[in-house]
Amino acid sequence: MTKLRMEEAAHSILARNDRGGYTVPTDRLYPFQWNWDSAFVAVGFATFNVDRAYRELERLIEGQWDDGMIPHIVFHAPSDTYFPGPDVWGTRHRIPTSGITQPPVFGMALRHVHEAAIANGMADAEARTRALFQAALRSHRWWLEARDPEGLGLVAILHPWESGSDNSPAWDEALARVPTTTTTVIRRKDTGHVDASMRPRDEDYQRFIHLVDVYRHCDWDPKRQWTNAPFKVADVQMTAILARATADLIHLAEVLGAEGDKAELAQMHRTLLDGLARRWRPSLSRFVSLDLISGNDIETPTQAGFIPLVAVTLDDAQRDAVMAEIERWLDGMVVGVPSAPRFSPAFEPKRYWRGPVWAVINWLIADGLRLNEAEDLARRIEQVTVHAVENAGFCEYFDPTTGEGLGGDTFSWTAAAYLVLGR
Ligand code: 2M8
């Protein structure tokens, strides 16, 4: 297919997954609005329809909680093709939502959308950006208050689903401490849509739902959850995305003339960069997350170790080390960057976040490399991603050893990534 045809196909996937101003990740498998999917999708929309890009973010914010949290799922309309639905979460929000969050790509997306709106001369750009900026600022305050109460400069996830990398090998040790018992009856729907060998295992789901049960019993109160959480990881991928989104909000605060907000954001930004700097491990050539329950570093290699490049300026030695390490992960792969490297005992090339390549992760890694002046490697990763989609279609993820497209098809964030990386 020509590039033009591929772009048309990406547009039509976004149109097909549109449910009225918001986009589902894919039909049936994920029939609601997901937080970080929508942020990436908004950037994709901004390449051809800026009004629709704003709508995506505005509809996500309909689900924002009074305390500032932007939930990971907004259940705008009922569907019985996904588990767990609103009844399991029991959050009693005015629009049904889940009770946990996801990586705050929102602030990054807002800056993109705003710049596209200005470039297009959109009359209501400033007013729309201003409203969304305030929502983003409230969510960043929530992150630091609710998820870094001890002031480490690192934000914690209380559930693997929050990371976006659900069954990543990085969580194996911490998740093994979570009991498999649940008070909720588990009725998985995902394995009816996608082969079970490409999905998290039943035992993972039992632990995922145990955590939901615990937090529901805390009435979704952030302080009670923090005290009772059996899973608590200060995640470098999450912290890096928050730090980068904070930098993008600082830029928007300047544009909007919001001086007080800018000073507050600048303080947050310094705190997060200091926190991330302490997580660099020269012996591993990457950043590592911290298990807040055991107090141990999580050294298991996953893509998360490279995501801090989106926020941190590396020194020359760090940059050379990261580039060499990424090359090692790419070695022998048909498509990279794998979410876990082949040399890891945990590597499973078809099982979800345990090895497959994700277009949006490559987008973040390439963006971080470019910020750190590793332009050639950034470009190569972007091209590999674009070719993977051209060869296998707009799949949820790709087998790094074969390039095969896996998981759900006609996937919204893969379409968005194609539009952005293929430019
Ligand atoms: C996957 O996660 C959901 C739970 O949030 C699931 O498996 O049910 C992850 O890949 C996550 O990163 C993504 O946002 C979501 C929708 O695409 O699916």
Side-chain angles (χ1 to χ4, degrees):
M1 247 197 255
T2 63
K3 181 137 266 158
L4 187 61
R5 277 285 162 77
M6 283 296 290
E7 282 178 6
E8 283 168 6
H11 292 173
S12 69
I13 285 171
L14 294 180
R16 191 183 326 165
N17 291 339
D18 186 330
R19 297 290 180 274
Y22 72 92
T23 311
V24 299
T26 189
D27 192 34
R28 297 184 64 76
L29 179 62
Y30 299 122
F32 308 110
Q33 186 175 22
W34 257 260
N35 181 331
W36 76 326
D37 296 63
S38 272
F40 286 114
V41 161
V43 182
F45 271 124
T47 64
F48 67 103
N49 183 346
V50 187
D51 174 65
R52 183 60 184 75
Y54 272 121
R55 278 306 287 149
E56 189 74 33
L57 299 179
E58 288 160 354
R59 296 238 49 194
L60 184 66
I61 288 311
E62 290 172 17
Q64 185 169 29
W65 287 18
D66 292 341
D67 67 4
M69 183 184 80
I70 306 179
H72 101 296
I73 307 175
V74 184
F75 301 106
H76 291 286
S79 166
D80 61 4
T81 64
Y82 181 80
F83 174 89
D87 49 325
V88 175
W89 292 97
T91 57
R92 299 192 294 267
H93 188 262
R94 49 193 173 273
I95 297 176
T97 71
S98 71
I100 59 171
T101 188
Q102 255 191 338
V105 179
F106 187 92
M108 298 168 64
L110 180 58
R111 179 176 173 179
H112 269 281
V113 174
H114 175 79
E115 287 174 355
I118 296 299
N120 282 281
M122 255 177 100
D124 56 355
E126 190 177 320
R128 291 176 90 172
T129 298
R130 201 176 281 282
L132 292 170
F133 169 85
Q134 285 305 327
L137 177 59
R138 293 202 304 118
S139 86
H140 284 219
R141 286 183 186 136
W142 174 86
W143 269 110
L144 285 158
E145 280 167 31
R147 296 310 180 82
D148 184 21
E150 285 150 29
L152 297 175
L154 300 165
V155 289
I157 54 168
L158 304 185
H159 196 300
W161 278 338
E162 296 197 303
S163 70
S165 313
D166 308 359
N167 63 338
S168 169
W171 318 136
D172 285 358
E173 214 176 297
L175 196 61
R177 284 183 223 116
V178 175
T180 52
T181 49
T182 65
T183 52
T184 299
V185 180
I186 298 179
R187 294 199 175 87
R188 288 185 70 167
K189 301 280 174 78
D190 57 323
T191 44
H193 306 300
V194 170
D195 194 293
S197 64
M198 298 180 201
R199 295 287 307 174
R201 298 187 157 84
D202 280 345
E203 204 179 301
D204 299 323
Y205 262 77
Q206 287 156 3
R207 296 192 159 99
F208 293 163
I209 297 302
H210 180 97
L211 290 171
V212 173
D213 288 345
V214 170
Y215 303 143
R216 194 181 55 244
H217 286 129
C218 293
D219 268 331
W220 301 107
D221 174 71
K223 288 201 176 69
R224 287 175 63 194
Q225 285 175 255
W226 187 263
T227 308
N228 291 294
F231 176 94
K232 200 187 284 184
V233 174
D235 174 19
V236 288
Q237 175 165 301
M238 190 70 93
T239 304
I241 291 171
L242 183 65
R244 167 55 178 281
T246 304
D248 287 336
L249 293 183
I250 291 171
H251 177 84
L252 287 175
E254 265 165 31
V255 169
L256 299 170
E259 282 309 315
D261 294 339
K262 184 181 156 190
E264 181 185 352
L265 287 160
Q267 179 55 47
M268 278 183 201
H269 191 233
R270 277 191 295 274
T271 303
L272 296 168
L273 289 189
D274 287 349
L276 282 171
R278 288 191 285 272
R279 306 312 301 160
W280 168 255
R281 293 293 173 271
S283 60
L284 299 172
S285 303
R286 53 185 165 82
F287 294 80
V288 299
S289 295
L290 174 64
D291 184 332
L292 292 177
I293 292 189
S294 68
N296 295 333
D297 280 3
I298 299 178
E299 295 192 347
T300 312
T302 69
Q303 89 290 339
F306 303 124
I307 303 297
L309 274 73
V310 301
V312 173
T313 307
L314 302 177
D315 65 30
D316 289 352
Q318 288 176 319
R319 191 187 56 211
D320 291 350
V322 164
M323 285 170 63
E325 185 63 7
I326 292 178
E327 292 288 3
R328 184 160 85 104
W329 289 36
L330 294 176
D331 189 38
M333 297 288 107
V334 171
V335 177
V337 181
S339 46
R342 188 170 50 178
F343 60 78
S344 164
F347 178 65
E348 290 183 79
K350 292 193 190 322
R351 196 181 291 279
Y352 218 39
W353 287 92
R354 302 181 73 84
V357 174
W358 294 76
V360 293
I361 291 298
N362 279 4
W363 178 351
L364 291 174
I365 292 176
D367 181 272
L369 285 167
R370 183 165 288 118
L371 277 179
N372 279 283
E373 291 168 14
E375 173 66 30
D376 289 351
L377 184 53
R379 194 70 211 132
R380 242 173 72 208
I381 290 172
E382 287 173 348
Q383 280 167 354
V384 158
T385 314
V386 166
H387 290 152
V389 178
E390 285 169 352
N391 291 332
F394 295 91
C395 301
E396 189 177 7
Y397 43 92
F398 304 89
D399 180 335
T401 63
T402 62
E404 186 190 351
L406 306 170
D409 59 8
T410 57
F411 223 83
S412 298
W413 70 9
T414 310
Y418 185 85
L419 292 172
V420 173
L421 304 184
R423 277 170 314 176

